[in-house]
């Protein structure tokens, strides 16, 4: 049977949700939102006796130490997020070679590709903590939530994973991951929360 041609193409998790431009207070730009696109994302769950072998494989492949506490190990190309006892999320800045990344971990963990099931935003700006504080139960003060820390939490009744990356010109930078099915609901809440501070939206963040 001849194959049928199709014009269907994968769409960004934020397609139809984010619109590039400015939102909220016109004279301010307290929050910047950047969509993280084309990421490779996978969950890793190690057996009780497999953590050491997995840590060695991760170190050899990515040069990262396997976090044993709620923290994130990060390089220019990959991040490894603690997400529970013997559980992690592997995040690649590009999906281009992600299949090869996962193939480097044979039999060492239960691996589940999540690239198309999660949605990620980078949040920054002088007022980003105040915007998040309206619905986030975490204390995001620098003394308690330093660069490299991660946490699982709930914001506006939506389960999220939040982590802090290196500071930018405007101060703290956070990345937040939500289920793709909840991306619209999360954005509805966050855009309203950030509006009073002025919110600049970028939809081209690919790394």
């Amino acid at each position: 049977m001849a194959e049928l041609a199709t014009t269907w193409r994968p769409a960004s998790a934020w397609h139809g949700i984010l619109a590039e431009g400015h939102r909220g207070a016109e004279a301010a730009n307290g929050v910047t939102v950047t969509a993280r696109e084309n990421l490779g994302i996978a969950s890793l769950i190690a057996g009780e006796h497999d953590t050491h072998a997995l840590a060695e494989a991760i170190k050899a492949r990515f040069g990262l130490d396997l976090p044993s506490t709620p923290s994130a190990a990060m390089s220019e190309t990959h991040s490894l997020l603690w997400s529970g006892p013997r559980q992690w999320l592997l995040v690649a800045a590009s999906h281009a070679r992600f299949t090869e990344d996962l193939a480097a971990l044979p039999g060492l963990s239960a691996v589940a590709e999540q690239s198309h099931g999660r949605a990620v935003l980078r949040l920054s700006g002088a007022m980003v903590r105040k915007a998040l504080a309206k619905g986030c139960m975490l204390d995001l003060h620098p003394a308690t939530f330093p660069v490299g820390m991660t946490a699982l939490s709930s914001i506006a009744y939506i389960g999220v994973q939040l982590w802090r990356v290196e500071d930018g010109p405007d101060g703290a930078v956070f990345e937040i991951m939500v289920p793709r099915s909840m991306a619209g609901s999360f954005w509805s809440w966050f855009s309203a929360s950030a509006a009073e501070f002025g919110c600049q939206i970028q939809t081209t963040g690919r790394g």
Side-chain angles (χ1 to χ4, degrees), residues 138-147 149-151 162-164 174:
L138 301 170
D139 182 355
L140 299 178
H141 189 278
T144 55
F145 206 96
V147 172
M149 186 170 181
T150 186
L162 178 73
W163 63 104
R164 186 175 166 199
F174 298 92

Side-chain angles (χ1 to χ4, degrees), residues 169-193:
D170 298 322
V173 182
F174 298 92
E175 298 208 336
I176 192 162
M177 180 184 295
V178 302
R180 181 175 182 140
S181 60
M182 299 301 293
S185 296
F186 178 80
W187 179 243
S188 178
W189 173 81
F190 186 78
S191 60
S193 178

Side-chain angles (χ1 to χ4, degrees), residues 83 134 171 187 204:
S83 57
K134 294 182 183 182
W187 179 243
T204 56

Side-chain angles (χ1 to χ4, degrees), residues 6 8 10 25 74-75 78 82 84 87 90 107 113 131 145 157 175:
T6 178
W8 287 49
M74 297 176 286
S75 71
H78 292 82
W82 182 95
Q87 298 180 52
L90 177 65
E113 168 95 37
F145 206 96
Y157 303 103
E175 298 208 336

